[in-house]
C-alpha cells in the first residue's frame, strides 16, 4: 500500500516505523528538512503535504487536532482526498479539563468525513500513547493489544490491515457515528497519562483468547 502521512511528529514517526517494512510511506511537514530527517530514521520518504497526499492511497491525518483542517488545506484541499482511505488519529481534547472539545457530541472524525465527501474515513490509533505504538512487540503479559477503531464500510478492511501491521488486533467499534465515544475515551486515557500512569496500562483491551468479537 502507498501511505501518505500529513505530519512527521511523534505519531507519524511511530506508525511509519511500523509500516515501512511492508508498505511505501511518505511523511510530510511544513519544515521539509525536519520531515526528511524523521523519514530517514524510519525507512520512509518525505515530501510536502501536497506530495504526501498525492502519493498515498491511504492518507493519515497526523497533525495536532487543531491543525487537521489546515493540514487538509496544505495537502491541496478536499478534492485531493477523493476515493482515498483517510485515517483520523487525532484527539480533540482540552489538556486542562480533559474533556473532548467537541461540544456538539459530533466527533472530529465525522467533521472530517463531512469535509471530505469523496473519501473513505475512519478513526484509529487514538486510544494509546505514542510510546505504546513504538513498542516493537505489542503483546503485554503474553496477550496481544486490541485496538478499537471506527470506519465507514469502504475504509474498514484497509484500516484493520494497518492496525494488524503495527502488531495490534483490530476491533471495529462501528461506523464513524461511534467515533465521538473513541474521542471521549481517549480523553480518559490522556487524563491518566497526565497523572503519571504508565501508558501501557490505560484502557488497552487485551484479548484473552482468539475469537471473533467484531
Ligand atoms: N502523542 C500521542 O501520544 C498521541 C497518541 C494518539 C493520538 N495522538 C494524536 O495524534 C495527533 C498527532 O500527535 P503527535 O504527538 O504526533 O503531534 P506532533 O508530534 O506535534 O506532530 C504534529 C505534526 O504535524 C505537522 N503539521 C502541523 N501542521 C501541519 C500542516 N498544516 N501541514 C503539514 N504538517 C503539519 C508538524 O510538522 P511541522 O511543524 O514541521 O509542520 C508535526 O510534524 C494529535 O492530534 C494527537 O491528538 C497523539
Amino acid at each position: 500500500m502507498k501511505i501518505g502521512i500529513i505530519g512527521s511528529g511523534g505519531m507519524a514517526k511511530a506508525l511509519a516505523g511500523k509500516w515501512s517494512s511492508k508498505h511505501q510511506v511518505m511523511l510530510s511537514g511544513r519544515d521539509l528538512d525536519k520531515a526528511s530527517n524523521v523519514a530517514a530514521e524510519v525507512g520512509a520518504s518525505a515530501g510536502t503535504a501536497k506530495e504526501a497526499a498525492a502519493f498515498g492511497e491511504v492518507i493519515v491525518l497526523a497533525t495536532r487536532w487543531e491543525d487537521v483542517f489546515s493540514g487538509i488545506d496544505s495537502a491541496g484541499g478536499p478534492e485531493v482526498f477523493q476515493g482515498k482511505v483517510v485515517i483520523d488519529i487525532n484527539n480533540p481534547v482540552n489538556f486542562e479539563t480533559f474533556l473532548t472539545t467537541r461540544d456538539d457530541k459530533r466527533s472530529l472524525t465525522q467533521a472530517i468525513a463531512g469535509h471530505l465527501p469523496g473519501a473513505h474515513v475512519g478513526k484509529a490509533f487514538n486510544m494509546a500513547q505514542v510510546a505504546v505504538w513504538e513498542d516493537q512487540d505489542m503483546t503485554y503479559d503474553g496477550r496481544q493489544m486490541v485496538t478499537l477503531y471506527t470506519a465507514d464500510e469502504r475504509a474498514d478492511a484497509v484500516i484493520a490491515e494497518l492496525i494488524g501491521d503495527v502488531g495490534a488486533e483490530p476491533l471495529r467499534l462501528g461506523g464513524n457515528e461511534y467515533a465521538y465515544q473513541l474521542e471521549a475515551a481517549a480523553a480518559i486515557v490522556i487524563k491518566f497519562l497526565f497523572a503519571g500512569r504508565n501508558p501501557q496500562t490505560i484502557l488497552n483491551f487485551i484479548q484473552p483468547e482468539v475469537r471473533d468479537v467484531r
Side-chain angles (χ1 to χ4, degrees):
M1 246 182 263
K2 287 184 170 177
I3 305 169
I5 304 184
I6 310 303
S8 45
M11 284 296 288
K13 182 181 177 186
L15 295 173
K18 291 283 183 72
W19 288 331
S20 62
S21 59
K22 185 172 173 192
H23 304 287
Q24 296 176 60
V25 185
M26 185 185 287
L27 300 175
S28 65
R30 291 166 296 194
D31 178 342
L32 197 48
D33 284 344
K34 200 173 95 189
S36 299
N37 289 337
V38 174
E41 283 183 58
V42 294
S45 60
T48 62
K50 267 199 178 89
E51 287 166 341
F55 173 83
E57 300 156 296
V58 177
I59 303 176
V60 181
L61 301 176
T63 62
R64 291 199 171 268
W65 67 267
E66 299 93 326
D67 297 323
V68 163
F69 293 100
S70 69
I72 289 170
D73 287 344
S74 310
E79 57 277 13
V80 173
F81 294 76
Q82 289 273 347
K84 303 194 180 199
V85 170
V86 174
I87 307 179
D88 165 32
I89 69 166
N90 303 280
N91 286 319
V93 173
N94 179 319
F95 287 176
E96 286 174 6
T97 61
F98 302 109
L99 294 167
T100 166
T101 62
R102 305 295 302 180
D103 295 337
D104 59 0
K105 306 278 189 291
R106 202 165 162 269
S107 61
L108 175 63
T109 310
Q110 287 171 296
I112 292 168
H115 191 63
L116 305 176
H120 314 303
V121 177
K123 184 169 210 94
F125 306 108
N126 74 311
M127 287 279 289
Q129 205 246 355
V130 63
V132 176
W133 301 115
E134 285 170 345
D135 281 343
Q136 283 313 304
D137 178 4
M138 300 193 83
T139 54
Y140 305 94
D141 289 335
R143 293 177 295 178
Q144 188 179 21
M145 181 170 133
V146 173
T147 294
L148 291 171
Y149 70 102
T150 66
D152 73 27
E153 290 194 357
R154 306 239 345 237
D156 186 4
V158 168
I159 293 177
E161 180 180 341
L162 290 175
I163 291 171
D165 290 341
V166 304
E169 170 81 25
L171 180 58
R172 183 172 180 255
L173 179 59
N176 291 323
E177 66 274 21
Y178 287 93
Y180 180 83
Q181 286 167 284
L182 281 191
E183 293 171 4
I188 300 172
V189 172
I190 291 166
K191 183 172 185 183
F192 287 118
L193 280 171
F194 272 64
R197 290 281 294 226
N198 178 323
Q200 274 95 354
T201 65
I202 311 168
L203 276 192
N204 290 334
F205 287 68
I206 294 173
Q207 183 83 294
E209 59 194 22
V210 179
R211 65 196 159 90
D212 187 1
V213 290
R214 295 178 69 186

